């Protein structure tokens, strides 16, 4: 394989996200960067393909700062696409492949994406979603091209585009203050918001994670989380800048396949979420599982239950186990050094290297040690704001002590002990955390209310051992409507990502109300959510 | 065999597909590609397999070769019965 013409001074510090790949391709051109879908690709192959796609995007009119949507599974084209956008000076946004047409349309429209990079098998959704978008200029599609012959913009095949394109002569000019990515996250108001992250924030966060996870170029990092989930994306960014090997699977759907892959690929780093660990532990109880090669296990998205730890030690006898806490708005807030996991089992640890946190009362006064307060975060990893939402941004980014600085008000309640360790004690909004994903109850309620026959809907999260929380929906039907809970779930599935579909749906005559006329959610949960719905 | 295919298709349509016409799912279409099944779906599927066909499914058998299409499921069930 011919080495890419993209030259980089080997001692150059990494300032831009793409330089992680450029530096590693220079140091380890022939090392395996990716093991994916049964194939292996070297660093120079990844740079070569990304460079060709970058040139193709420029040839098609991409300008510095333009948004490019990546709506793909965890595939080779997906990873090539991410680095291509970065090399071309664009801003990428990852869209979960479970996303349905209506929401996909919203994300494309809200971000003003000029290109959509996608997979052929997702055509049922994107075929509908791309209608009526003024900013969209082209679609590049991998895999089997859809039979649909008419698209409002030019549609090309990923492989053909790569084959016809030349190598990029030099990466497009951007500086570390420029945006690198929009990362959409569920907000309590319904529609997701695009978290703007600059190159310098993401480069900083990735190095901070590498430092505390004690990662090196000899690691073999497994990805079963979606690249569209920010922690999944960071595994890629970390692996590529280290020059490590990244072992990628589509999802944790088929555990037997993952276990086989972990053994055959000698995976050393296993990033997961509680639902994955819960599945592994129930398998382990039936028939012991053990992965001695794994030396780091990391948990994110929701709290790792204390009772999981002894089992995880049996499954991963040689691993450091990391509990962490974070939110998309700053990627990661804190981590518990694995050496403290027995001493402080319910803590999510201390701020990540290079950052600090403090607690404030509701009226912004300091909080005494051991008292509850709202967590505020300071550091270079804070987002630049929400895309096109100055008011929502102003609610969470507050002026800091250094002129011009902004600190992040997370809205989450914490306690801090005398050693500076953090303990989560609740959210100040009604966001549901299920299967490691954030779900806005308002978004699910709005979807339910669009179903013909549903008059009113209320959605709540109910605690659950396996899922963290499960989504329960209560609906009042219009007179004469005979929808069942099962039919309602099916209709939700057509519009919502799978993890957002309520597990239990209860059809009621009317909602109980509180004294001031609001739906009494506590009463609903207490009355109905003890037994599974029929 | 035909009996098993029928049962499998009925289960998939009942539980994972919305408003889909019968001809929209080929017997060799990948559930994963079509977004039909995720990790929770697989657990439901296994529970159903164990109940309906009185078989036991090991974790090692939770692989796409056994579970990712109507055809592979049917073959898997026939082997296990």
């Amino acid at each position: 394989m011919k080495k890419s013409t993209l030259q980089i001074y080997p001692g150059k510090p990494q300032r831009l996200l793409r330089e992680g790949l450029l530096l590693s391709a220079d140091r380890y051109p022939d090392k395996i960067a990716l093991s994916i879908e049964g194939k292996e690709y070297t660093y120079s192959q990844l740079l070569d393909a990304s460079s060709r796609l970058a040139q193709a995007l420029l040839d098609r009119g991409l300008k510095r700062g333009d948004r490019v949507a990546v709506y793909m599974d965890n595939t080779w084209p997906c990873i090539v696409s991410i680095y291509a956008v970065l090399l071309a000076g664009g801003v990428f946004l990852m869209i979960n492949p479970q996303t349905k047409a209506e929401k996909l349309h919203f994300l494309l429209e809200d971000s003003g994406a000029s290109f959509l990079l996608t997979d052929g098998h997702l055509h049922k959704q994107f075929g509908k979603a791309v209608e009526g978008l003024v900013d969209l200029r082209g679609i590049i599609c991998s895999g089997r091209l859809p039979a649909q012959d008419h698209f409002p913009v030019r549609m090309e095949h990923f492989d053909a585009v790569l084959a016809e394109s030349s190598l990029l002569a030099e990466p497009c000019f951007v500086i570390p203050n420029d945006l690198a990515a929009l990362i959409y996250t569920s907000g309590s108001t319904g529609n997701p918001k695009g978290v703007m992250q600059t190159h310098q924030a993401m480069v900083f966060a990735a190095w901070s994670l590498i430092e505390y996870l004690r990662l090196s170029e000899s690691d073999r990092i497994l990805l079963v989380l979606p690249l569209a989930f920010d922690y999944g994306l960071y595994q890629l960014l970390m692996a590529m800048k280290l020059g490590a090997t990244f072992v990628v699977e589509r999802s944790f759907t088929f555990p037997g396949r993952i276990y086989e892959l972990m053994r055959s690929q000698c995976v050393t780093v296993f990033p997961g979420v509680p639902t994955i660990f819960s599945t592994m532990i129930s398998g382990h109880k039936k028939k012991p599982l053990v992965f001695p090669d794994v030396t780091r296990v990391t948990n994110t998205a929701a709290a790792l239950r204390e009772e999981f730890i002894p089992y995880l030690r049996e499954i991963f006898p040689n691993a450091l186990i990391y509990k962490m806490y974070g939110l998309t708005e700053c990627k990661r807030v804190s981590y518990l050094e694995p050496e403290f996991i027995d001493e402080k089992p319910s803590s999510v640890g201390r701020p990540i290297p290079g950052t600090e946190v403090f607690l404030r009362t509701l009226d912004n006064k300091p909080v005494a040690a051991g008292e509850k307060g709202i967590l505020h975060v300071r550091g270079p990893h804070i987002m630049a704001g929400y895309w096109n939402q100055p008011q929502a941004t102003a609610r969470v980014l507050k002026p800091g002590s250094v002129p011009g600085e902004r600190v992040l008000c997370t809205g989450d309640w914490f306690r801090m002990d005398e050693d500076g360790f953090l303990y989560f004690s609740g959210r100040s909004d009604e966001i549901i955390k299920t299967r490691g994903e954030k779900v806005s109850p308002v978004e699910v309620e709005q979807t339910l209310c669009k179903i013909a026959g549903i008059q009113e809907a209320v959605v709540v999260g109910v605690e659950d051992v396996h899922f963290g929380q499960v989504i329960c929906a209560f609906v009042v039907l219009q007179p004469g409507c005979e929808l069942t809970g099962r039919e309602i779930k099916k209709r939700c599935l057509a519009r919502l990502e799978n993890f957002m579909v309520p597990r239990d749906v209860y059809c009621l005559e009317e909602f109980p109300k509180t004294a001031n006329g609001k739906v009494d959610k506590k009463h609903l949960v207490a009355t109905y959510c003890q037994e599974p719905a029929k | 065999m035909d009996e098993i295919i029928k049962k499998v298709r009925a289960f998939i349509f009942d539980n994972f597909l919305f408003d889909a016409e019968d001809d929209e799912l080929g017997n060799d279409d990948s559930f994963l590609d079509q977004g039909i099944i995720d990790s929770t779906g697989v657990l439901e599927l296994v529970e159903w397999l164990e109940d309906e066909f009185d078989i036991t499914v090991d974790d090692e058998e939770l692989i796409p070769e056994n579970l990712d299409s109507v055809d592979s499921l049917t073959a898997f069930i026939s082997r296990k019965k």
Side-chain angles (χ1 to χ4, degrees):
Chain A
M1 171 61 74
K2 189 166 90 33
K3 200 172 158 186
S4 168
T5 53
L6 295 171
Q7 292 296 319
I8 191 160
Y9 163 61
K12 182 183 172 76
Q14 188 197 357
R15 298 191 187 97
L16 304 173
L17 276 188
R18 66 192 184 204
E19 287 165 356
L21 174 61
L22 288 164
L23 285 160
S24 291
D26 186 68
R27 279 173 75 188
Y28 313 104
D30 301 318
K31 183 172 175 180
I32 301 299
L34 295 170
S35 169
I36 185 165
E37 296 169 316
K39 295 197 182 117
E40 295 191 320
Y41 300 90
T42 64
Y43 273 94
S44 61
Q45 282 174 313
L46 175 58
L47 181 56
D48 184 276
S50 306
S51 157
R52 286 175 196 278
L53 183 58
Q55 184 60 51
L57 289 169
L58 294 175
D59 292 343
R60 285 155 183 74
L62 185 84
K63 298 280 185 300
R64 175 180 175 183
D66 281 354
R67 276 77 58 213
V68 179
V70 181
Y71 173 57
M72 289 176 154
D73 269 299
N74 286 358
T75 55
W76 161 250
C78 179
I79 291 171
V80 170
S81 297
I82 293 169
Y83 279 100
V85 176
L86 292 169
L87 286 165
V91 177
F92 68 92
L93 62 129
M94 306 300 298
I95 301 178
N96 190 314
Q98 287 188 3
T99 306
K100 304 302 190 298
E102 198 177 329
K103 182 156 168 189
L104 176 61
H105 179 87
F106 168 82
L107 294 171
L108 294 170
E109 189 166 52
D110 187 68
S111 63
S114 48
F115 291 91
L116 170 65
L117 308 179
T118 186
D119 293 325
H121 64 260
L122 300 171
H123 72 92
K124 278 186 195 154
Q125 306 304 336
F126 74 74
K128 285 180 247 168
V130 294
E131 293 297 332
L133 292 168
V134 287
D135 299 306
L136 191 70
R137 306 166 74 158
I139 303 170
I140 298 175
C141 180
S142 77
R144 196 160 23 148
L145 279 190
Q148 182 172 346
D149 49 11
H150 177 73
F151 284 93
V153 292
R154 188 168 166 208
M155 148 91 134
E156 297 173 273
H157 195 276
F158 185 90
D159 296 340
V161 169
L162 243 63
E164 287 159 19
S165 179
S166 55
L167 286 169
L168 185 68
E170 112 183 75
C172 282
F173 182 75
V174 289
I175 66 168
N177 307 58
D178 282 315
L179 292 186
L182 292 185
I183 303 175
Y184 276 82
T185 182
S186 287
S188 42
T189 49
N191 279 331
K193 299 191 285 275
V195 168
M196 297 188 280
Q197 286 291 11
T198 62
H199 285 270
Q200 59 191 2
M202 293 182 79
V203 168
F204 171 86
W207 277 115
S208 185
L209 267 68
I210 286 171
E211 179 182 338
Y212 77 73
L213 295 173
R214 309 169 203 178
L215 302 178
S216 79
E217 75 279 0
S218 58
D219 275 312
R220 302 175 65 80
I221 303 174
L222 177 72
L223 183 75
V224 292
L225 305 170
L227 282 163
F229 171 45
D230 69 343
Y231 194 53
L233 175 66
Y234 270 81
Q235 306 305 318
L236 170 71
L237 301 176
M238 295 192 292
M240 295 301 107
K241 65 179 60 194
L242 281 167
T245 296
F246 197 39
V247 179
V248 183
E249 188 55 43
R250 287 262 284 270
S251 67
F252 196 70
T253 304
F254 298 109
R257 169 146 151 167
I258 309 297
Y259 302 157
E260 203 278 317
L261 191 71
M262 287 170 72
R263 294 193 181 99
S264 65
Q265 289 285 334
C266 308
V267 163
T268 62
V269 182
F270 186 94
V273 296
T275 307
I276 289 177
F277 294 123
S278 171
T279 303
M280 292 182 94
I281 289 169
S282 54
H284 173 69
K285 286 178 181 167
K286 283 193 272 176
K287 194 171 163 188
L289 271 177
V290 61
F291 301 102
D293 291 327
V294 175
T295 53
R296 262 68 42 85
V297 171
T298 68
N299 174 67
T300 189
L304 191 62
R305 304 174 75 90
E306 281 178 54
E307 63 264 32
F308 283 8
I309 306 289
Y311 294 111
L312 290 180
R313 286 200 172 122
E314 289 172 17
I315 300 172
F316 303 106
N318 300 315
L320 298 170
I321 298 170
Y322 284 84
K323 296 171 68 170
M324 310 188 290
Y325 161 79
L327 64 169
T328 310
E329 285 79 349
C330 67
K331 174 57 220 149
R332 169 77 51 238
V333 173
S334 69
Y335 72 106
L336 181 66
E337 284 130 294
E339 289 78 5
F340 282 94
I341 202 160
D342 294 317
E343 194 179 327
K344 304 200 186 257
S346 58
S347 174
V348 289
R350 292 187 284 201
I352 64 170
T355 73
E356 74 173 351
V357 302
F358 52 90
L359 303 181
R360 285 284 183 269
T361 60
L362 277 176
D363 47 2
N364 205 26
K365 300 267 178 5
V367 168
E371 297 292 312
K372 276 204 285 188
I374 295 174
L375 185 76
H376 289 64
V377 184
R378 262 194 94 200
H381 57 332
I382 304 285
M383 68 167 177
Y386 297 117
W387 178 253
N388 283 340
Q389 300 226 32
Q391 286 173 338
T393 302
R395 280 195 290 273
V396 296
L397 293 184
K398 311 280 185 185
S401 52
V402 176
E405 187 197 355
R406 293 194 292 180
V407 298
L408 173 68
C409 171
T410 66
D412 287 344
W413 291 87
F414 276 84
R415 283 187 305 108
M416 192 189 281
D417 69 15
E418 59 282 6
D419 301 321
F421 286 73
L422 291 165
Y423 300 82
F424 181 76
S425 56
R427 300 185 64 94
S428 59
D429 58 28
E430 293 183 332
I431 290 280
I432 298 169
K433 277 281 192 85
T434 182
R435 294 155 71 172
E437 306 269 2
K438 265 166 90 176
V439 175
S440 155
V442 179
E443 191 178 348
V444 183
E445 286 166 3
Q446 286 169 348
T447 300
L448 286 164
C449 289
K450 284 182 194 163
I451 297 172
I454 293 183
Q455 196 169 303
E456 266 188 285
V458 165
V459 168
V460 296
V462 178
E463 301 310 307
D464 179 88
V465 177
H466 183 65
F467 296 109
Q469 285 182 301
V470 291
I471 304 173
C472 293
F474 300 91
V475 298
V476 174
L477 299 176
Q478 281 162 2
C481 170
E482 307 216 322
L483 278 175
T484 63
R486 199 179 182 82
E487 285 159 354
I488 292 170
K489 279 168 74 169
K490 280 192 174 186
R491 282 174 172 65
C492 287
L493 201 51
R495 291 162 177 262
L496 295 171
E497 291 95 310
N498 304 23
F499 59 82
M500 294 179 71
V501 174
R503 189 191 67 178
D504 304 329
V505 178
Y506 302 87
C507 301
L508 309 181
E509 300 272 312
E510 59 176 358
F511 288 144
K513 299 278 164 70
T514 61
N516 50 21
K518 285 187 174 173
V519 176
D520 189 347
K521 292 186 176 178
K522 278 188 188 149
H523 180 78
L524 283 172
V525 172
T527 315
Y528 295 96
C529 299
Q530 311 306 323
E531 298 284 326
K534 291 290 176 288
Chain B
M1 200 72 159
D2 285 355
E3 199 51 36
I4 299 178
I5 292 186
K6 235 189 242 168
K7 279 188 180 169
V8 167
R9 288 187 67 91
F11 176 80
I12 298 294
F13 276 81
D14 267 6
N15 289 277
F16 303 117
L17 283 172
F18 163 75
D19 271 4
E21 297 299 326
D22 192 62
D23 61 0
E24 280 181 46
L25 179 70
N27 284 343
D28 59 349
D29 281 350
S30 155
F31 295 157
L32 210 52
D33 271 3
Q34 305 293 321
I36 292 171
I37 271 187
D38 59 10
S39 46
T40 311
V42 161
L43 299 181
E44 288 170 30
L45 177 67
V46 168
E47 204 174 299
W48 175 74
L49 288 177
E50 297 193 329
D51 283 357
E52 179 74 30
F53 300 99
D54 198 22
I55 56 179
T56 324
V57 183
D58 275 349
D59 274 12
E60 283 88 30
E61 293 171 315
L62 302 179
I63 54 176
E65 291 77 0
N66 291 339
L67 306 174
D68 195 36
S69 68
V70 173
D71 281 344
S72 57
L73 261 172
T74 308
F76 178 61
I77 297 163
S78 314
R79 273 203 311 280
K80 295 283 287 187
K81 266 171 82 86

